[in-house]
Amino acid sequence: MNNKIMMKTPLVEMDGDEMTRVVWAKIKEIVLDPFVELKTEYYDLSIQNRDATEDQVTMDSALATKKYGVAVKCATITPNAARVKEFNLHKMWKSPNGTIRAALDGTVFRAPILAKGITPLVPSWTKPITIARHAYGDIYSAVESKVPQGGKAELVVTDADGNETRTIIKEFPKTDGIVMGMHNTDASIRSFAKTCFEYALDQGIDLWFSAKDTISKTYDHRFKDIFAEMYEAEYKEAFEQKGITFFYTLVDDAIARVMKSSGGFLWACKNYDGDVFSDMLATAFGSLAMMTSVLVSPDGYYEYEAAHGTIPRHYHKYLKGESTSTNPIATLFAWTGALARRGELDHIPELTAFAKKVEQVTIEAVEEGFMTGDLALISTVPNKKVLSLDEFLKEVASRV
Ligand code: NAP
Ligand code: MG
């Protein structure tokens, strides 16, 4: 008799590269397949298949996410010159995450997985700090120029009727210099703010937003105003009902507060701040292998993944037939995040309960000393047992 949990709508499954592709297959085989009749629409985002399909497969997987609403993604290689040579690629294909993010107009939320024994570098952080990075504009799509001595730089804005407004940036009479022009759009800031408000409501956590409006009185101030207007008009009531708060503060004040906090909130960051602070948070919470990542679109589509990459050093050992102690937790939690969401949307409470159970027993295993090598290095639990990838997944499955 088959008493596996049945699914209704398929999950969009985006397979990937190298060691994480190995981890992917083992998670399905050892932890998921015995309990769930997995229903997925499979997209192979391996570098070989992206090359063979001229990257169409990446776009197709993003469109499928819009159709079904929930995706789970394996880490993928973003080609650079060395990878183009290694795989004899037709082109230096773009980052799949960038393509998917652009297609879904999404915001990336990163949250650490906490376990006793793995103490954050900041001891007061007892609850996770989730960071939301606005992944559009600012210095990431800026234009830059050198200015030779004697030159000047001006900002020229031309309106739809051709009228110009000119502002002197700087005259350089005595020395060479540099200038940069960056932009953002109200539409992008609005969808960023919307996704952050919705995520905070969904998770029942406070929302902080930080920028530097005292110095940047037009640019950063626009971000501040848009968040404030949307909060007043659309979210204030819902936040009050949920008992959560939204507040804006200067980015340097935010950092001071974050360091003194006990965690448990969502921190919405401008593009550069999010890039920098998310790496700081990942390290301070213990391990990149314990950092989850979810792309949320303003239309309510979700794509779950691990924050780390394809772990090539482990893959080369694996190819030589050696056993590796690769940590599957962030990739496993991408699956459980996606299955729990699917369960909620399709009203299959046993699917959501199964996903939560897997998360709970995974953390219990680590707290009782069963862990992979990366965690053994930082865990303070006594009598640690360092397990291989397979052994750790079997330990988790046996506890489910
Ligand atoms: P990485 O794959 O995250 O690995 C960096 C190092 O972190 C590893 O060598 C390993 O350290 C440690 N590590 C990361 N995840 C681990 C895990 N689950 N278990 C144990 N140790 C883990 O980053 P990378 O080497 O910079 O990038 C490799 C490839 O991944 C690149 O081609 C890049 O394009 C791609 N990438 C993809 C994504 C994505 O798809 N979202 C994100 C980042 C990078 P030790 O070697 O010390 O064991
Ligand atoms: Mg970064």
Side-chain angles (χ1 to χ4, degrees):
M1 208 195 81
N2 183 356
N3 49 13
K4 285 195 199 179
I5 300 164
M6 303 301 288
M7 295 176 63
K8 289 179 194 155
T9 315
L11 262 185
V12 179
E13 176 181 354
M14 306 171 174
D15 207 345
D17 289 303
E18 298 193 313
M19 197 62 208
T20 39
R21 189 178 177 96
V22 177
V23 170
W24 194 260
K26 287 185 191 288
I27 285 174
K28 286 168 58 181
E29 180 199 325
I30 300 172
V31 183
L32 305 178
D33 280 340
F35 305 100
V36 180
E37 193 64 53
L38 279 180
K39 193 168 172 187
T40 73
E41 193 164 293
Y42 181 83
Y43 292 86
D44 181 3
L45 266 58
S46 67
I47 187 72
Q48 294 88 349
N49 195 44
R50 277 179 278 145
D51 197 48
T53 62
E54 305 203 311
D55 213 21
Q56 187 59 40
V57 66
T58 307
M59 191 41 87
D60 289 347
S61 74
L63 295 177
T65 306
K66 285 189 170 181
K67 179 172 169 196
Y68 295 115
V70 187
V72 57
K73 181 180 170 292
C74 181
T76 46
I77 290 170
T78 298
N80 54 17
R83 296 295 203 169
V84 170
K85 221 173 138 198
E86 180 183 351
F87 295 98
N88 195 17
L89 302 178
H90 294 101
K91 246 174 96 173
M92 198 185 291
W93 304 109
K94 283 193 204 159
S95 150
N97 288 60
T99 303
I100 295 164
R101 203 155 56 213
L104 301 183
D105 184 20
T107 298
V108 176
F109 296 81
R110 282 180 157 202
I113 301 159
L114 304 195
K116 286 191 209 84
I118 298 163
T119 320
L121 296 177
V122 180
S124 63
W125 290 355
T126 52
K127 286 172 275 178
I129 297 170
T130 304
I131 203 161
R133 171 180 171 189
H134 182 212
Y136 177 83
D138 298 359
I139 64 166
Y140 301 86
S141 45
V143 291
E144 303 181 310
S145 188
K146 286 184 178 165
V147 187
Q149 182 182 353
K152 76 174 171 188
E154 286 177 277
L155 195 61
V156 183
V157 177
T158 313
D159 71 17
D161 300 324
N163 305 308
E164 288 184 353
T165 313
R166 307 179 86 89
T167 316
I168 296 261
I169 299 171
K170 182 76 185 165
E171 299 190 18
F172 296 83
K174 294 191 179 137
T175 166
D176 292 356
I178 40 181
V179 287
M180 175 166 78
M182 63 182 198
H183 82 283
N184 225 296
T185 66
D186 281 15
S188 175
I189 301 167
R190 278 206 186 89
S191 46
F192 172 57
K194 175 172 184 214
T195 325
C196 290
F197 286 124
E198 300 279 350
Y199 187 93
L201 275 175
D202 183 64
Q203 301 284 313
I205 52 179
D206 291 346
L207 171 63
W208 303 14
F209 175 57
S210 57
K212 193 76 181 179
D213 67 290
T214 48
I215 300 298
S216 171
K217 291 184 186 340
T218 303
Y219 198 104
D220 276 26
H221 214 291
R222 188 76 194 127
F223 280 79
K224 180 187 177 182
D225 288 346
I226 287 176
F227 267 80
E229 283 161 19
M230 286 179 64
Y231 179 68
E232 286 300 321
E234 297 168 49
Y235 291 101
K236 195 166 190 258
E237 224 169 288
F239 267 54
E240 282 170 1
Q241 264 171 21
K242 259 257 150 95
I244 58 175
T245 55
F246 162 67
F247 83 99
Y248 169 83
T249 189
L250 285 171
V251 66
D252 30 4
D253 178 56
I255 272 287
R257 286 173 189 253
V258 164
M259 300 309 285
K260 288 189 290 188
S261 79
S262 58
F265 55 88
L266 169 63
W267 182 13
C269 287
K270 289 185 60 214
N271 208 348
Y272 178 81
D273 298 343
D275 182 354
V276 175
F277 296 144
S278 60
D279 286 9
M280 190 232 355
L281 285 182
T283 307
F285 270 109
S287 167
L288 194 54
M290 298 290 275
M291 187 58 83
T292 63
S293 182
V294 56
L295 174 73
V296 186
S297 85
D299 306 311
Y301 312 126
Y302 290 78
E303 182 245 305
Y304 292 84
E305 63 180 323
H308 61 74
T310 59
I311 338 170
R313 201 181 65 82
H314 291 222
Y315 186 55
H316 295 139
K317 279 181 78 179
Y318 169 84
L319 287 180
K320 282 192 232 152
E322 292 171 36
S323 134
T324 68
S325 188
T326 311
N327 186 340
I329 294 180
T331 304
L332 179 59
F333 275 50
W335 273 98
T336 53
L339 288 172
R341 176 70 55 185
R342 200 62 277 166
E344 270 171 34
L345 293 174
D346 290 347
H347 308 288
I348 315 173
E350 58 277 24
L351 186 61
T352 304
F354 165 77
K356 298 286 171 205
K357 175 87 181 169
V358 171
E359 293 179 357
Q360 180 204 329
V361 299
T362 301
I363 292 170
E364 277 169 16
V366 173
E367 293 182 341
E368 288 168 24
F370 301 89
M371 60 188 78
T372 46
D374 57 314
L375 295 185
L377 287 176
I378 52 173
S379 170
T380 56
V381 170
N383 306 321
K384 283 173 280 196
K385 284 176 208 66
V386 179
L387 305 182
S388 68
L389 167 63
D390 288 59
E391 287 167 341
F392 182 77
L393 288 173
K394 284 177 187 156
E395 178 66 34
V396 169
S398 75
R399 288 165 181 258
V400 179

